[in-house]
Amino acid sequence: MQTLIAFWNILRKDIENYYLKPPNISWGIIFPLSWTLMQLIRSQGDIGIEELLSGLMAMSVLFGTTSMLAVTITFERRSRSFDRLLIAPISISTLVIAKILGAILFGILNAFVPVIFAAFFINLSGINWGITLAAVILIAITSALLGLLIAVSAKEVFEAQTFSNFFRFPMLFLCGLFIPIDKLPVILKPISFCLPLTYGTDILNGAITGNSIFNAIFNISVMLVFTTLLFYLCLRNIKTKWIL
Amino acid sequence: MGIVDVANLKKSYGEIVAVDDISFSIEKGEIFGFLGPNGAGKTSTINMMIGLSRPTSGQIIIDGIDAIKNIKKVQRIIGIVPDENNLYDEMNGFDNLCFCASLYGISIKEREKRAMELLEQFNLTKAGKRPFKTYSKGMKRKLTIAAGIIHNPKILFLDEPTTGIDIESARQIRELILDLKKQGKTIFITTHYIEEAERICDRIAFIVNGKIVKIGTVTELMESVEREHKIRLQLDRSIKDIKEELENNIENCRVEIPEENSCLVISKERIALSPILQLLDSKGISVYEAKEIKPSLEDVFVKVTGIEASKLKKEKEKVGK
């Protein structure tokens, strides 16, 4: 019960102090909307909204989770308010889950902005919503953990932002969102299959358009392996880098 | 065994040794002070005791619990006030206190009640609804201390509690610390203010370059160094011309003239006043005042550590700025 009280209050504080602030709400809406419009204008009608949807959702989650988490944690580390959480009688695992959950929820909400937008133009009844939601959640979790991993390495807020972009943009181009994986140069293909976003996007592609490289169960399993690996990597890094 | 027992504690960062094999014990209900200059190893020691840093070697036992193996258990019974006011800028004072209480699993009703009580105790009731970032330095410090005791800890760790704040706030904080002692709390305090340590600590450890060079009560520390007896005489004129004669006539004494119309008579033994007064009288010199100069903790610190008190004062000013 005591752990639950601490967990809930860390989550609530983050949501109220960071995620529900007007600039973040507007970022969460404007960012996915502008990407959707940009893609539609650029394709000049060659690509339908349905084909764009999985990419836009994946991108919204990726940017929604990583940008906020890495920055807020680095900010809290800098002001040393994060030390309060480290010296609280809660386990590091509880702390990590509480910190990333806010970002995960924010990322999930971001993912559905393009869906709401698309609902005005196309019929979305053919989408497998159960698999879509599972994919969004898994992308949000892996992205949040990547954000945390960045935060552990960054000392300053600008460093966190730079590191975020350093892995986000290559990941966007290698995960099959813009360029199909089979059209990537041979040397880049193995890298593509090492990225969690590749499998997340593939689940979304399968659930929304019916076209995917792997089946959903395989993709979900790989995403779960990534989640476990990243979680333990975050724990290990926090213990070695923050508790010196 | 005390409520806190530290044995052979060491912390190295590569080749740099921040804390070098220190051992000490804190008794239940006492205020124990760590006095030393910046970089002496005070914060490094505190960080190892509260779980923000891992010792290279050594043992820390807090209330019978091994703090290195079971730090989360220890964190439940300790309160921590870091050297920086690290509460949340955007949250108001009341919410900050409630949030800190929630980290210890305190129920909403209980934490709100406790937060109100502490705001009142620390004279911050009116400021309770204002964001933390609008507080003055002294108010911030007081709220940070309140956050450290919101869960009613047995042992309180205070890292430089009065550094960088105004005299009045520092005085109020020192009173609050003494009040906490009266409530039965055990307090570990680090400071580089000699007067502060002297005023509120039951026992003090001098720490320099990661090593404890002396430990004891203020009285014990005073007695630990070879004491010289000093008497300052206020005179009606200078005694430069009879200084040598005075020294020759009083056994085992030396005379210093710090100011024109005064002199210091210094001896390793107690000084008898009558022969001095008689001699001065015979020379037609009137004595207006005779005062014994007792050594201060500052003198002891300088003697034991070799660090000039002025160095500590300069650091104090730097932090204050």
Side-chain angles (χ1 to χ4, degrees):
Chain A
M1 188 61 190
Q2 287 179 329
T3 304
L4 205 65
I5 291 173
F7 177 87
W8 165 243
N9 280 280
I10 294 170
L11 175 63
R12 204 185 66 165
K13 175 195 70 71
D14 280 358
I15 290 174
E16 284 175 2
N17 281 3
Y18 307 124
Y19 300 108
L20 287 184
K21 291 280 177 199
N24 291 316
I25 296 173
S26 57
W27 156 269
I29 296 168
I30 290 167
F31 178 77
L33 267 183
S34 47
W35 272 94
T36 311
L37 287 172
M38 191 186 85
Q39 290 293 333
L40 280 175
I41 294 163
R42 193 173 154 268
S43 68
Q44 294 179 329
D46 290 342
I47 306 171
I49 290 177
E50 203 170 52
E51 283 90 67
L52 286 175
L53 199 55
S54 56
L56 289 166
M57 286 174 80
M59 224 158 49
S60 303
V61 184
L62 179 71
F63 277 84
T65 49
T66 51
S67 54
M68 273 310 287
L69 191 72
V71 169
T72 56
I73 289 187
T74 314
F75 176 72
E76 284 191 0
R77 287 278 304 152
R78 189 97 185 87
S79 64
R80 289 189 55 194
S81 50
F82 200 85
D83 285 359
R84 283 203 169 268
L85 308 178
L86 288 174
I87 56 176
I90 48 167
S91 68
I92 302 285
S93 316
T94 309
L95 173 60
V96 166
I97 297 169
K99 289 304 279 184
I100 63 167
L101 194 55
I104 291 168
L105 294 173
F106 186 66
I108 292 170
L109 289 176
N110 274 4
F112 286 94
V113 173
V115 176
I116 295 165
F117 185 72
F120 289 104
F121 300 97
I122 56 166
N123 179 9
L124 301 174
S125 60
I127 294 174
N128 184 336
W129 288 110
I131 298 285
T132 304
L133 187 64
V136 168
I137 293 170
L138 285 168
I139 298 171
I141 294 172
T142 49
S143 304
L145 286 167
L146 278 169
L148 183 59
L149 214 54
I150 291 165
V152 182
S153 309
K155 282 197 175 110
E156 302 284 345
V157 173
F158 76 87
E159 273 181 12
Q161 285 166 328
T162 312
F163 291 161
S164 297
N165 290 333
F166 191 72
F167 86 85
R168 275 191 308 207
F169 285 101
M171 206 150 86
L172 272 181
F173 291 104
L174 294 173
C175 75
L177 271 179
F178 296 108
I179 311 153
I181 291 170
D182 55 1
K183 287 186 183 157
L184 282 173
V186 184
I187 198 163
L188 292 177
K189 274 185 190 171
I191 302 172
S192 174
F193 289 113
C194 292
L195 304 171
L197 195 61
T198 304
Y199 301 91
T201 311
D202 201 42
I203 307 173
L204 284 175
N205 276 333
I208 296 169
T209 63
N211 301 318
S212 63
I213 306 168
F214 305 110
N215 67 50
I217 294 171
F218 175 79
N219 281 329
I220 288 172
S221 307
V222 176
M223 288 293 273
L224 288 173
V225 171
F226 269 117
T227 302
T228 315
L229 274 176
L230 285 168
F231 184 73
Y232 281 102
L233 208 58
C234 283
L235 282 189
R236 201 200 65 177
N237 280 9
I238 287 173
K239 282 177 187 166
T240 55
K241 291 192 174 179
W242 285 350
I243 303 170
L244 295 170
Chain B
M1 265 196 28
I3 195 164
V4 176
D5 285 299
V6 172
N8 308 109
L9 193 65
K10 194 174 175 179
K11 180 70 188 175
S12 308
Y13 300 98
E15 285 182 4
I16 300 160
V17 182
V19 177
D20 194 0
D21 197 25
I22 62 168
S23 300
F24 60 92
S25 186
I26 306 173
E27 294 304 319
K28 196 177 173 193
E30 80 171 336
I31 301 180
F32 183 85
F34 247 29
L35 182 67
N38 283 346
K42 303 188 297 286
T43 301
S44 294
T45 306
I46 243 184
N47 282 347
M48 285 189 277
M49 295 170 84
I50 64 174
L52 268 184
S53 162
R54 255 184 293 273
T56 307
S57 61
Q59 198 182 36
I60 304 165
I61 306 288
I62 296 177
D63 202 25
I65 308 163
D66 187 329
I68 297 167
K69 287 181 186 154
N70 286 309
I71 189 63
K72 291 293 159 193
K73 243 184 179 176
V74 168
Q75 282 167 344
R76 203 160 276 288
I77 56 157
I78 61 172
I80 299 139
V81 180
D83 55 350
E84 275 179 52
N85 302 316
N86 64 348
L87 289 167
Y88 298 91
D89 273 344
E90 301 298 324
M91 285 161 73
N92 66 38
F94 178 76
D95 288 344
N96 258 306
L97 290 183
C98 286
F99 175 70
C100 291
S102 76
L103 295 175
Y104 293 84
I106 298 169
S107 69
I108 188 159
K109 230 180 181 179
E110 183 60 28
R111 60 181 184 251
E112 283 182 357
K113 186 179 150 240
R114 191 92 182 102
M116 292 301 286
E117 283 171 2
L118 283 170
L119 285 173
E120 203 182 316
Q121 188 188 340
F122 285 70
N123 286 325
L124 292 169
T125 310
K126 274 187 190 168
K129 290 287 163 203
R130 270 169 41 201
F132 184 64
K133 65 179 173 191
T134 65
Y135 283 27
S136 68
K137 271 186 187 173
M139 288 161 81
K140 279 185 176 177
R141 204 70 195 126
K142 282 197 265 184
L143 197 76
T144 309
I145 295 175
I149 56 169
I150 187 105
H151 56 293
N152 204 12
K154 271 188 187 179
I155 306 155
L156 184 62
F157 290 87
L158 291 156
D159 197 1
E160 308 276 359
T162 59
T163 299
I165 58 172
D166 60 282
I167 296 164
E168 179 54 20
S169 298
R171 193 188 58 80
Q172 285 176 8
I173 286 170
R174 279 194 285 271
E175 274 172 18
L176 285 166
I177 295 169
L178 291 169
D179 274 349
L180 290 169
K181 176 188 155 66
K182 278 182 202 155
Q183 290 167 28
K185 308 259 182 253
T186 304
I187 299 165
F188 178 94
I189 180 172
T190 74
T191 182
H192 54 238
Y193 293 153
I194 295 175
E195 325 76 89
E196 181 171 273
E198 189 172 1
R199 222 177 287 174
I200 64 171
C201 294
D202 295 309
R203 283 192 309 133
I204 299 165
F206 291 160
I207 181 165
V208 181
N209 296 328
K211 282 187 170 153
I212 292 180
V213 289
K214 204 93 200 170
I215 198 163
T217 61
V218 175
T219 322
E220 283 166 356
L221 290 170
M222 300 280 208
E223 283 168 357
S224 68
V225 290
E226 199 186 359
R227 194 184 152 181
E228 279 185 325
H229 296 267
K230 285 182 191 172
I231 288 178
R232 179 190 280 267
L233 300 174
Q234 205 61 47
L235 313 159
D236 67 341
R237 71 166 175 89
S238 173
I239 55 154
K240 271 178 194 163
D241 51 335
I242 58 154
K243 181 178 175 271
E244 226 167 279
E245 195 182 341
L246 199 61
E247 282 176 333
N248 292 337
N249 277 286
I250 317 161
E251 244 178 77
N252 301 321
C253 277
R254 69 174 202 277
V255 176
E256 283 177 13
I257 304 172
E259 285 161 30
E260 192 64 18
N261 288 359
S262 74
C263 73
L264 268 178
V265 184
I266 304 161
S267 171
K268 287 189 177 160
E269 288 144 28
R270 293 204 74 180
I271 303 162
L273 268 179
S274 50
I276 304 171
L277 295 176
Q278 272 172 19
L279 183 74
L280 290 170
D281 192 44
S282 68
K283 301 281 174 193
I285 301 167
S286 301
V287 179
Y288 296 131
E289 191 184 74
K291 195 178 176 185
E292 189 183 6
I293 309 288
K294 288 184 176 169
S296 65
L297 190 64
E298 189 171 308
D299 298 327
V300 180
F301 182 82
V302 173
K303 219 160 207 177
V304 170
T305 64
I307 296 169
E308 280 300 322
S310 57
K311 193 188 166 197
L312 285 185
K313 274 183 187 151
K314 267 182 201 163
E315 282 172 4
K316 203 180 342 182
E317 281 159 17
K318 259 191 228 165
V319 177
K321 278 172 193 171

